[in-house]
Amino acid sequence: MKLLVTGGAGYVGSVVTRLLLDAGHQVVVLDNLVTGHERAVPQGATLVRAPVQEAATVLTPDAGFDGVVHFAGLIAAGESMVRPEVYWHENMTASLALLDAMRAAGVRRLVFSSSAAVYGDPVEVPIPETAATAPTSTYGATKLAFDYAIRSETVAHKLAAVSLRYFNVAGALIRPDVRIGERHDPETHLIPIALQVAAGKRARLQLFGDDYPTSDGTCVRDYIHVADLADAHLRALDAATPGDHRIYNLGSGSGFTNKQVVDVVREVTGHPVPVELAPRRPGDPAALVASSAKAEAELGWVRNRPTLRDMVEDAWTFMRDETVMREEPA
Ligand code: UFG
């Protein structure tokens, strides 16, 4: 297939792009490089440096695209609570422009990078796809709103669509020939921040709240390896059916408290990770754990790097490589 990958210079988008190329697909990456990195775009993909709002300039009727994998967007739940207007613009308005461009070009296959944040504080854990959606953050609300737009498009205009609701993505793609990992700037995620502390790049980790109704008072999250998550996108592209909007949760079925995560980082790195207690971060649900039974049954999805230790080890390998690369003289 010829595919447009929006946000293909970002963390998950670049790993998916690598796997798509390996599977023989042709990939054009659309990325404005505001949060993405040019060097993250895998060799073999063509980079078009432009915002998603300008998707129509690439997705022309003659360009021959078979589908779109849509990652581009803002991802920090905490930030979305203080800059909601930016999140609505980047995640919703831009995504609607993409849908318009796809319709005009006759491109009728879409895989959308959605989020567990659409569920908010769950009533049922592990969370199935049928659970009520009540996002606690603007970020989650923008992801849910675009799911509704996709749903309308499948019904009215026969789009074939799959939304993948990620839980907490971690790790890196580590192969002899390839290293692709997380390079957010500023970093807001727990595992890379804890690794930065272990690497001596930060003095301490701030732990946002220890009074949640969980076993040790810190939030519980379900971690999924980025390579396993990426594999689900290729399966979703194949499974997409005209007129149907499928939704799959992607996680592991088990959760770890933030304190447990920090303990695994200490074990893997062998470094102390000093922690300082800080107030709760607005928009954080207490516990998010996925049921991925539907993705396993319908997409044949299996996790090859399933443990939190696998993910932390790969993220640590990537971070150390990056540090060496940056310290090398030009
Ligand atoms: N946390 C800290 N200190 C930090 C960073 C994070 O205590 O310095 C805590 C957070 O408060 C939260 C947990 O670690 O309790 C995980 O936070 P992350 O920022 O790593 O991840 P989130 O759970 O907020 O969000 C991630 C993705 C979202 C996705 C969500 C689904 O960024 O896109 O997982 O679970 F929606």
Side-chain angles (χ1 to χ4, degrees):
M1 285 192 257
K2 180 172 179 182
L3 299 164
L4 183 72
V5 177
T6 75
Y11 172 41
V12 182
S14 56
V15 176
V16 171
T17 297
R18 181 68 269 156
L19 299 197
L20 288 169
L21 292 166
D22 293 348
H25 299 291
Q26 190 184 342
V27 181
V28 176
V29 165
L30 179 67
D31 200 304
N32 60 8
L33 301 182
V34 170
T35 54
H37 305 271
E38 190 164 356
R39 67 194 165 114
V41 178
Q43 262 190 2
T46 305
L47 171 67
V48 175
R49 185 176 181 171
V52 175
Q53 284 90 331
E54 291 171 22
T57 60
V58 185
L59 274 178
T60 57
D62 299 334
F65 281 97
D66 300 294
V68 173
V69 190
H70 181 35
F71 295 99
L74 299 176
I75 59 159
E79 183 193 41
S80 78
M81 303 305 285
V82 289
R83 302 173 71 214
E85 62 285 4
V86 183
Y87 273 69
W88 282 110
H89 185 73
E90 293 295 322
N91 291 3
M92 190 60 192
T93 314
S95 298
L96 290 175
L98 176 66
L99 270 192
D100 288 343
M102 290 178 67
R103 195 181 319 110
V107 179
R108 297 287 74 194
R109 189 182 293 263
L110 173 68
V111 173
F112 174 50
S113 161
S114 185
S115 167
V118 301
Y119 294 112
D121 275 313
V123 183
E124 237 180 303
V125 175
I127 307 170
E129 291 81 355
T130 49
T133 44
T136 52
S137 67
T138 300
Y139 165 70
T142 64
K143 290 290 181 183
L144 182 60
F146 191 58
D147 266 351
Y148 279 113
I150 293 175
R151 176 65 51 92
S152 311
E153 188 78 14
T154 57
V155 173
H157 302 302
K158 293 279 175 277
L159 182 71
V162 179
S163 291
L164 298 175
R165 291 181 174 166
Y166 312 163
F167 283 63
N168 287 55
V169 190
L173 185 65
I174 305 291
R175 300 196 311 217
D177 54 326
V178 175
R179 300 272 155 115
I180 309 177
E182 204 163 359
R183 291 192 186 104
H184 298 122
D185 187 16
E187 187 52 76
T188 61
H189 294 103
L190 181 63
I191 291 177
I193 287 180
L195 289 173
Q196 286 175 358
V197 176
K201 294 179 188 173
R202 289 180 189 241
R204 66 189 62 81
L205 171 86
Q206 285 197 314
L207 202 51
F208 298 139
D210 70 348
D211 57 350
Y212 286 93
T214 61
S215 60
D216 62 21
T218 62
C219 290
V220 170
R221 293 290 182 271
D222 180 351
Y223 290 88
I224 173 79
H225 195 289
V226 68
D228 289 334
L229 180 86
D231 171 64
H233 292 70
L234 278 74
R235 294 169 186 274
L237 271 170
D238 286 340
T241 314
D244 194 14
H245 179 206
R246 298 202 199 178
I247 294 177
Y248 296 106
N249 287 346
L250 299 175
S252 74
S254 28
F256 292 87
T257 67
N258 295 341
K259 281 186 179 168
Q260 287 170 331
V261 171
V262 175
D263 282 341
V264 173
V265 170
R266 289 180 177 132
E267 273 167 40
V268 167
T269 63
H271 290 278
V273 176
V275 163
E276 159 189 289
L277 189 62
R280 285 185 178 199
R281 192 174 65 177
D284 274 349
L288 283 174
V289 178
S291 164
S292 297
K294 190 178 169 200
E296 287 160 18
E298 295 186 11
L299 300 178
W301 183 57
V302 283
R303 284 170 288 112
N304 293 312
R305 300 282 286 155
T307 71
L308 182 58
R309 199 184 165 94
D310 292 333
M311 298 173 219
V312 172
E313 277 174 3
D314 289 349
W316 182 232
T317 301
F318 177 75
M319 184 179 285
R320 278 179 309 171
D321 274 13
E322 285 275 286
T323 308
V324 172
M325 277 169 60
R326 285 199 186 152
E327 284 170 1
E328 272 172 6

